[in-house]
Amino acid sequence: MPKNKAITSRDIDFAKWYTDVVRAAHLADYSSVKGCIVIEPNGYAIWEKMQSILDKEFKKLGHINCQMPLLIPENLLKKESDLVNGFAPEVAWVTEGGQKKLEERLCIRPTSETLFCDYYATHISSHRDLPKLYNQWCNVLRWEKETRPFLRSREFLWQEGHTIHSTKEEAEEETAKMMDVYHWFHNEILAIPSIKGKKTEKEKFAGAEYTLTNEALMYNGVALQSGTSHYFGQKFTKAYNVKFTNKENKEEYPYQTSWGTTTRMIGGLIMVHSDDYGLVLPPRIAPKQVVIIPIGKSEKVANLALEIQEKLQQNDIITYIDNTEKSPGFKFAEAEVNGIPIRIEIGERDLENNQITFARRDTREKLT
């Protein structure tokens, strides 16, 4: 099968190749909102698969999901100076509601530490209330100057975990534990090599005592930040006056963490696995793992396709049959550019020879 003409070779222009794959595989498209993308169904299906796997891991560790407001009052944001200074260049503000000017500006959330602290201040009073292990799946807005689909956009999807603990040791253990989850997810599920490390003082999250990072290695040799975990100590709890009574009946400030990863992981998948023919997806993260393409209109071929689909689905392999009114060659190319890990081709001639054809997307090897 010839190379996809819509895709620039990655060895000639890596940046152009990346954008070409995003567009050709219908993962995302540009929108009329500057700096923001439309995540198309193919791209969102990958994010849903990522969500599903990570959410199960978070819940295994005792985390529960919640939802905080999209808007943050300016006075609330200003209580922690490092956070304000760190995010000031990226913050977007709402100044009017309907036709009325607001008495106080509202920040569109770039992150949610302030909202969680505001909540903790009225929901924690005793050591018996701790720990609180929260996570939310949401969107955030950061006014980036330069954007690229999935890798950096003004609005993006992510998960942000926020936990609060009675001891420093417990909070630091949480910080390290969640970094291990991101490292496992990249290496075992996304098949992306990565290493764990600590951000420099200059690069750490605004307001954190330290930030742990998972850095993934891309095809072009560049490291991509792919998940961070922050230890805040008592910095935020002191700023927002979050207190609890410990086991000795003494009042003190609890210890806080946050951790998150984003739709940037989809960009990482593209840059590590894909090629000049389109998207390549590891089977464990692919929303569709096998496509069966019947050739011709034979009833025997159709019945065999259904039989194979049923057997694969019984083994939890996500399979679909392409019965669209397109030519076999078009269907083959479409499955390839969309990164379907396995393609099964069945025709009348195959039945006569008692064989079917398998095509691997990663190696592009065909087996009968």
Side-chain angles (χ1 to χ4, degrees), residues 136-318:
Q136 72 169 344
W137 295 92
C138 63
N139 59 343
V140 294
L141 190 71
R142 297 179 183 177
W143 213 256
E144 301 281 0
K145 292 181 180 178
E146 295 183 10
T147 61
R148 180 169 295 176
F150 296 117
L151 296 177
R152 190 173 293 278
S153 58
R154 288 179 175 172
E155 181 184 13
F156 56 89
L157 305 180
W158 75 346
Q159 60 74 209
E160 49 176 321
H162 293 267
T163 71
I164 192 161
H165 308 262
S166 58
T167 68
K168 177 177 187 280
E169 292 74 21
E170 190 178 299
E172 290 199 276
E173 182 184 343
E174 170 80 4
T175 305
K177 185 193 301 178
M178 301 319 294
M179 179 47 53
D180 288 342
V181 171
Y182 295 144
H183 185 257
W184 162 82
F185 184 71
H186 277 77
N187 285 271
E188 298 300 323
I189 304 300
L190 304 185
I192 295 177
S194 68
I195 58 172
K196 296 179 292 182
K198 184 181 284 189
K199 289 284 192 183
T200 63
E201 281 296 304
K202 185 179 179 181
E203 293 178 318
K204 72 179 183 180
F205 183 86
E209 287 200 14
Y210 62 80
T211 291
L212 302 181
T213 181
N214 182 60
E215 300 289 326
L217 185 63
M218 302 295 102
Y219 172 83
N220 62 348
V222 172
L224 184 72
Q225 178 182 293
S226 304
T228 50
S229 187
H230 318 292
Y231 172 67
F232 295 122
Q234 298 171 311
K235 194 164 188 178
F236 278 93
T237 56
K238 287 180 178 179
Y240 289 85
N241 199 33
V242 182
K243 296 179 182 179
F244 76 104
T245 304
N246 63 25
K247 292 180 180 179
E248 287 72 43
N249 207 32
K250 293 181 180 178
E251 197 174 64
E252 66 172 302
Y253 296 101
Y255 299 80
Q256 195 177 348
T257 83
S258 78
W259 30 273
T261 192
T262 78
T263 38
R264 178 182 288 179
M265 292 188 293
I266 298 174
L269 272 177
I270 297 166
M271 293 195 290
V272 169
H273 297 297
S274 299
D275 57 25
D276 291 351
Y277 297 87
L279 184 66
V280 177
L281 292 173
R284 296 179 74 179
I285 203 64
K288 297 176 181 177
Q289 296 168 317
V290 176
V291 58
I292 302 170
I293 300 178
I295 301 170
K297 299 188 179 295
S298 164
E299 188 175 337
K300 286 184 178 180
V301 169
N303 289 337
L304 181 58
L306 287 169
E307 183 182 333
I308 293 171
Q309 181 188 40
E310 184 177 341
K311 287 181 178 179
L312 291 174
Q313 289 178 337
Q314 286 173 354
N315 288 281
D316 296 323
I317 297 171
I318 306 167

